[in-house]
Amino acid sequence: MGLQCGIVGLPNVGKSTTFNALTSAAAQAENFPFCTIEPNVGIVQVPDKRLDCLAEIVQPKKTLATAIEFVDIAGLVKGASKGEGLGNKFLGHIREVDAIVQIVRCFEDENVTHVNGTINPLDDIETIEYELILADMDSVQKRSDKNARMVKSGDKDAKAVQPVYDKLIEGFEKGIPARAIELVEREVELIRDLHMMTIKPVLYIANVSEDELHEDNDMVKAVQDYAAKNGSESMKLCSKIEAEIAELSQEEKTEFLKDYGLEESGLDILAREAYKLLNLITYFTAGVQEVRAWTVRDGAKAPEAAGVIHTDFEKGFIKAEVIAYNDFVDNKGEAGAKEKGLARIEGKEYLVKDGDVMHFRFNV
């Protein structure tokens, strides 16, 4: 799909350690700011137990999961919107991603310095939010000033968009990010070309110590409350443990998680949460050659889903044969589902559902 989640945060909060564990890409992780200058990009498989169930039934020659891209972006400091630290690089890289995963430090460790000298996760969140709002406001203000001159000349398009610019600037002045400013769909379309950073969805990750994996400390609760109040999601992980898990074999990983009383790693949860953050869903194809998970945006129609496999499938789309995941599994595969009359033929207007098992008919 070409969609990316950018991993952001202040220096030394565990960004690169988390990214390394996610991608095994060996991004630098040192105890000083700005060790990650150029953004590292990694492609991460999205764990999906449904894929394993389908493979068990079909017994294919190979099984392929879907994936998501993560970008490790340089740490931000106060004043980034004015070019402090690596501000311009940081902001430029955030503009290029589709969603933001913010790592927030929620652990004490005297051996790991904090850029502000104290551990306060809400201050960390607000520092980044403030800098992004300032940068967005600067962009919108410049566009608004130029647009206002066009309004005076009687430009109809300029007149239509000017109230949206005014609404955004008013919200920014109150410290409200674009994602929290009430905009109808038409208004969002009018300002899409601004590529605002604060309109992107955010997932907050509370990075904790090993001792705090099973019980939320006050810092974690503060992050959870902040995310909930601002219409965002949050989760908890220990980047130190995740880094250890990443180096283990599957058998060792299972035993390690069991020792810590965990059913799955935090990174598996993160991959799935990031996938949802990007408003993505999965459909499957299931045949003896391969069982495969495919990524489409939520709300995609059948031809668009077909085009993910090959553009010719979309161009020559005729129909899609669809079996709901549960129907496929409950009836031990395609033949069983068809015997029960659970295979449907859908046309061009069909909205793909998460978990659909699909087969496309098309003209070459």
Side-chain angles (χ1 to χ4, degrees):
M1 294 294 290
L3 300 178
Q4 296 181 326
C5 278
I7 300 180
V8 306
L10 296 185
N12 300 335
V13 297
K15 286 189 307 84
S16 293
T17 301
T18 302
F19 178 84
N20 290 345
L22 261 175
T23 64
S24 299
Q28 290 177 304
E30 302 294 342
N31 185 25
F32 55 88
F34 315 132
C35 63
T36 307
I37 297 176
E38 294 303 323
N40 297 283
V41 180
I43 299 175
V44 179
Q45 284 194 348
V46 179
D48 194 329
K49 293 180 180 178
R50 296 175 300 180
L51 191 64
D52 297 329
C53 290
L54 292 175
E56 188 175 337
I57 292 169
V58 179
Q59 295 293 307
K61 292 181 180 179
K62 58 182 178 179
T63 303
L64 298 171
T66 190
I68 186 171
E69 286 189 22
F70 285 92
V71 183
D72 182 25
I73 298 173
L76 171 146
V77 294
K78 288 182 180 178
S81 58
K82 297 181 175 62
E84 293 293 328
L86 295 170
N88 292 332
K89 282 181 175 287
F90 176 91
L91 298 174
H93 293 148
I94 288 185
R95 284 193 179 93
E96 293 172 2
V97 300
D98 303 282
I100 297 170
V101 174
Q102 183 174 345
I103 310 289
V104 186
R105 180 171 169 176
C106 293
F107 65 88
E108 299 279 357
D109 187 340
E110 61 183 20
N111 295 316
V112 180
T113 61
H114 189 284
V115 71
N116 292 334
T118 57
I119 312 299
N120 187 323
L122 292 188
D123 278 356
D124 292 359
I125 290 173
E126 288 169 4
T127 291
I128 289 182
E129 194 80 285
Y130 179 70
E131 295 299 333
L132 298 187
I133 287 173
L134 285 179
D136 276 353
M137 183 160 64
D138 182 59
S139 297
V140 175
Q141 187 66 65
K142 287 178 180 176
R143 181 69 68 86
S144 177
D145 292 344
K146 180 180 179 181
N147 193 74
R149 293 192 291 271
M150 297 171 67
V151 170
K152 290 180 180 178
S153 68
D155 188 293
K156 290 183 179 180
D157 291 338
K159 286 182 179 179
V161 75
Q162 190 62 42
V164 189
Y165 293 152
D166 294 339
K167 186 187 292 189
L168 288 169
I169 292 169
E170 182 182 354
F172 292 152
E173 287 175 342
K174 295 176 181 178
I176 302 172
R179 77 183 72 88
I181 296 172
E182 292 187 11
L183 299 170
V184 298
E185 187 175 344
R186 181 184 65 83
E187 292 174 320
V188 173
E189 286 300 319
L190 286 173
I191 49 90
R192 192 175 297 280
D193 63 335
L194 283 166
H195 302 293
M196 291 183 296
M197 292 172 286
T198 62
I199 206 166
K200 301 178 191 293
V202 182
L203 170 66
Y204 295 100
I205 297 182
N207 187 15
V208 301
S209 67
E210 298 175 53
D211 299 330
E212 294 164 321
L213 264 177
H214 296 291
E215 188 171 341
D216 296 339
N217 60 29
D218 290 340
M219 290 185 284
V220 172
K221 291 175 182 177
V223 172
Q224 292 170 339
D225 290 344
Y226 181 92
K229 288 177 182 176
N230 287 275
S232 297
E233 297 295 326
S234 64
M235 60 169 288
K236 179 175 68 173
L237 61 71
C238 172
S239 61
K240 184 178 179 181
I241 286 180
E242 299 299 336
E244 293 177 27
I245 292 174
E247 297 179 356
L248 302 176
S249 66
Q250 186 57 48
E251 186 177 334
E252 291 171 327
K253 175 182 174 180
T254 302
E255 192 62 33
F256 188 98
L257 291 171
K258 183 179 178 181
D259 290 343
Y260 272 93
L262 302 172
E263 293 185 5
E264 60 182 338
S265 74
L267 296 182
D268 284 350
I269 298 171
L270 169 55
R272 287 199 301 273
E273 288 298 316
Y275 195 74
K276 289 194 296 183
L277 192 67
L278 290 169
N279 197 34
L280 302 175
I281 60 172
T282 299
Y283 79 86
F284 303 97
T285 52
V288 293
Q289 291 300 317
E290 69 174 29
V291 166
R292 182 163 181 169
W294 300 89
T295 299
V296 291
R297 62 179 181 83
D298 194 2
K301 293 181 179 179
E304 184 180 340
V308 174
I309 299 176
H310 198 287
T311 54
D312 287 347
F313 285 25
E314 182 172 7
K315 292 175 183 176
F317 179 89
I318 301 173
K319 297 288 183 182
E321 186 177 288
V322 184
I323 301 174
Y325 169 79
N326 287 337
D327 291 337
F328 192 99
V329 172
D330 291 346
N331 292 280
K332 308 300 182 185
E334 181 179 343
K338 284 183 174 180
E339 284 180 14
K340 295 284 185 66
L342 297 172
R344 313 185 310 276
I345 299 298
E346 302 286 359
K348 292 183 178 181
E349 295 304 308
Y350 176 69
L351 295 177
V352 178
K353 308 290 191 304
D354 187 48
D356 278 348
V357 181
M358 305 184 76
H359 175 73
F360 299 103
R361 300 178 186 176
F362 61 97
N363 286 317
V364 180

